[in-house]
Amino acid sequence: MSNIFKTPEESRVVISMLMLPSHANFSGKIHGGHILSLIDQIAFACASKHSNNYCVTASVDVVDFLAPIEVGEMVTLKATVNYVGNTSMVVGIRVDAEDIKSGTKKHCNSSYVTMVAKDDEGKTIAVPGLKLSSDTHIRRFAREIRRKSIKRNSSKEMKATNFNAEEFVELLKDYNVELG
């Protein structure tokens, strides 16, 4: 446990960038992979700012694409440390897009990325604690505890489920597959 604590605001990172044709697919929508790359970059910046160390991505838990992003829109990513463990941090990221001409804004993505702090030798290193000074901070931290519990239980359930061939066939009857 660290004796140093930081508020989420101390490591908050916000970036905005114009979406260019080089970021788009053939239908003029921005590639999801490009947005994922930006999410990973801002998660790194936020976690590194919180930990004062180099950080690596351990997992990307939730990536919900809620609305397409068009070429010419201004995309803003906001990253905040929502949870800290001993050596890891969960960074919450919100992605919004704005039509520059009309000023219309839309929420396009929310993501949660687990980052791990590393020392110069590549070993995990303790991170500062998180100072929760508002209801929003407490809610985000508590939600992350719950999300981690759900993920852990889901993983245990999948490992414990031992499908045999007959169970698979029965399970697949309700899906758009052809067994051959």
Side-chain angles (χ1 to χ4, degrees), residues 103-121:
T104 304
K105 295 180 183 176
K106 60 187 173 186
H107 178 199
C108 298
N109 184 296
S110 290
S111 303
Y112 301 93
V113 180
T114 301
M115 304 295 290
V116 176
K118 300 283 188 167
D119 66 14
D120 292 338
E121 285 80 45

Side-chain angles (χ1 to χ4, degrees), residues 1-176:
M1 286 264 228
S2 171
N3 291 331
I4 300 168
F5 294 88
K6 290 184 174 182
T7 65
E9 289 78 17
E10 289 178 81
S11 23
R12 182 181 163 127
V13 176
V14 178
I15 60 170
S16 294
M17 60 187 329
L18 182 65
M19 293 295 101
L20 303 173
S22 61
H23 303 138
N25 59 26
F26 292 111
S27 64
K29 309 293 187 226
I30 302 306
H31 284 287
H34 181 69
I35 300 303
L36 289 172
S37 176
L38 294 175
I39 287 169
D40 192 50
Q41 290 174 48
I42 198 169
F44 167 83
C46 183
S48 295
K49 192 172 177 184
H50 182 82
S51 67
N52 294 324
N53 282 287
Y54 187 80
C55 294
V56 296
T57 306
S59 72
V60 180
D61 285 343
V62 177
V63 180
D64 291 327
F65 291 98
L66 306 172
I69 300 170
E70 308 287 337
V71 169
E73 290 185 324
M74 183 67 68
V75 169
T76 300
L77 293 91
K78 299 173 185 174
T80 307
V81 174
N82 290 346
Y83 172 91
V84 296
N86 293 322
T87 62
S88 66
M89 299 146 281
V90 175
V91 178
I93 297 139
R94 180 181 171 105
V95 180
D96 293 310
E98 179 179 357
D99 181 309
I100 293 173
K101 291 180 181 177
S102 70
T104 304
K105 295 180 183 176
K106 60 187 173 186
H107 178 199
C108 298
N109 184 296
S110 290
S111 303
Y112 301 93
V113 180
T114 301
M115 304 295 290
V116 176
K118 300 283 188 167
D119 66 14
D120 292 338
E121 285 80 45
K123 295 181 181 174
T124 58
I125 188 168
V127 300
L130 200 57
K131 184 175 182 178
L132 306 176
S133 58
S134 74
D135 288 346
T136 299
H137 297 160
I138 293 167
R139 178 179 45 80
R140 288 176 177 167
F141 197 93
R143 278 189 176 170
E144 207 49 56
I145 291 171
R146 182 72 177 126
R147 190 181 340 275
K148 286 181 166 297
S149 174
I150 290 168
K151 185 178 177 182
R152 188 172 30 258
N153 290 338
S154 175
S155 179
K156 284 179 187 175
E157 185 177 326
M158 287 304 294
K159 287 178 183 175
T161 303
N162 213 1
F163 289 108
N164 62 40
E166 292 81 30
E167 289 175 302
F168 274 124
V169 171
E170 190 61 34
L171 177 70
L172 296 174
K173 286 182 180 177
D174 295 332
Y175 292 88
N176 188 20

